[in-house]
Amino acid sequence: MTRSDSLKQPFTACPQASWADDEEAVTDYERRKAQGTLAPGIPHAEVRRILGLRP
């Protein structure tokens, strides 16, 4: 397959890119937690209610 052929293929997300995003999010969370700057979260029970899941 040539480069021009590959450009005609449907776009698919690269799993490594999402892993990098996840790692960045975890690093940011840990940094904010260590600094004591985390915003208040939503309790699990409230999230389950919003999503229509059982408590």
Side-chain angles (χ1 to χ4, degrees):
M1 178 186 304
T2 66
R3 176 157 168 71
S4 62
D5 289 337
S6 67
L7 294 175
K8 296 174 187 172
Q9 298 298 318
F11 176 77
T12 57
C14 175
Q16 290 80 5
S18 65
W19 296 335
D21 292 343
D22 291 347
E23 289 176 11
E24 183 178 344
V26 169
T27 300
D28 182 53
Y29 167 80
E30 290 172 344
R31 178 187 51 78
R32 290 183 292 126
K33 184 177 178 183
Q35 293 173 338
T37 58
L38 282 177
I42 300 173
H44 286 177
E46 179 65 8
V47 172
R48 294 184 72 78
R49 185 193 68 74
I50 291 169
L51 295 174
L53 302 172
R54 291 180 286 152

